[in-house]
Amino acid sequence: MSIRPEAPADVAAIAELVRRAFDGHPHSDGSEPGIVDGLRADRALSVALVAEVDRRVGGYVAASPVRIAGRASSWHGLGPVAVEPALQGRGLGAALVQAALAQLRAAGAGGCVVLGEPAYYGRFGFAPLPGLVYPGPPAEYFMALAFGDTVVQGEVAYHAAFGGAR
Ligand SMILES: CC(C)(COP(=O)(O)OP(=O)(O)OC[C@H]1O[C@@H](n2cnc3c(N)ncnc32)[C@H](O)[C@@H]1OP(=O)(O)O)[C@@H](O)C(=O)NCCC(=O)NCCS
């Protein structure tokens, strides 16, 4: 398995992989492949990494800038994260999340937020951050990982490609 930036030749395989990974997911409305395409079309993918397994796209992670309190910020939103169903549970997801966080840190990001399962994202250091809020889901599902000690506060807004979903 190797992790590398997405390439133009991966685009169709990424959309299919993301669709399969979220198919039947309880919190999915099937919008995830379109979110990735929308972020890419708007050049808003701050992270777009592929986990390549046997020369195929086995996993994918994206991140995009978020706005905080109505203003552009140095923070990013992680997701979607997707691993081919047959390859789940082998550490690909963890490797992708770690690589995405390392890339954001190296790029000077202030931090990263994620909307997801606390039991999964907690292992990477994500936790609810008082004052940093996302309207809608129960507070424990919206988590943050600060890369520095700058205090951030306010409501977080994802890129428009997430539509009403995020
Ligand atoms: C979530 C996902 C990316 C994890 O990828 P993965 O390669 O299976 O993850 P890893 O192998 O690194 O980690 C597996 C661990 O995560 C746990 N896990 C996976 N999905 C989980 C979830 N939704 N909630 C809690 N734990 C979860 C597994 O139980 C396993 O736990 P263990 O290490 O204690 O045995 C993958 O399961 C997936 O694509 N799911 C469908 C899409 C999705 O839900 N994406 C995340 C929301 S943006």
Side-chain angles (χ1 to χ4, degrees):
M1 192 270 290
S2 63
I3 294 182
R4 59 166 177 79
E6 70 169 30
D10 300 321
V11 166
I14 290 168
E16 267 304 297
L17 163 84
V18 172
R19 188 188 62 73
R20 280 195 299 276
F22 281 94
D23 190 30
H25 190 280
H27 299 298
S28 169
D29 59 1
S31 63
E32 291 81 7
I35 291 171
V36 174
D37 288 342
L39 291 171
R40 188 183 293 114
D42 204 31
R43 300 183 181 278
L45 285 168
S46 44
V47 171
L49 296 173
V50 158
E52 192 177 299
V53 180
D54 294 337
R55 298 183 174 229
R56 290 187 177 182
V57 175
Y60 184 71
V61 62
S64 53
V66 294
R67 294 173 70 83
I68 300 179
R71 284 190 289 276
S73 79
S74 65
W75 282 59
H76 298 253
L78 187 73
V81 189
V83 171
E84 181 69 42
L87 298 175
Q88 289 177 9
R90 299 187 193 180
L92 261 68
L96 283 163
V97 171
Q98 298 286 16
L101 295 174
Q103 183 178 325
L104 290 173
R105 272 183 204 272
C112 187
V113 294
V114 69
L115 186 61
E117 290 293 335
Y120 188 66
Y121 291 104
R123 66 186 68 188
F124 307 105
F126 283 100
L129 191 63
L132 199 59
V133 294
Y134 183 74
E140 65 264 32
Y141 289 95
F142 186 68
M143 295 160 277
L145 179 59
F147 298 149
D149 43 22
T150 309
V151 176
V152 283
Q153 281 198 320
E155 195 171 295
V156 174
Y158 283 80
H159 187 277
F162 286 88
R166 266 191 215 162

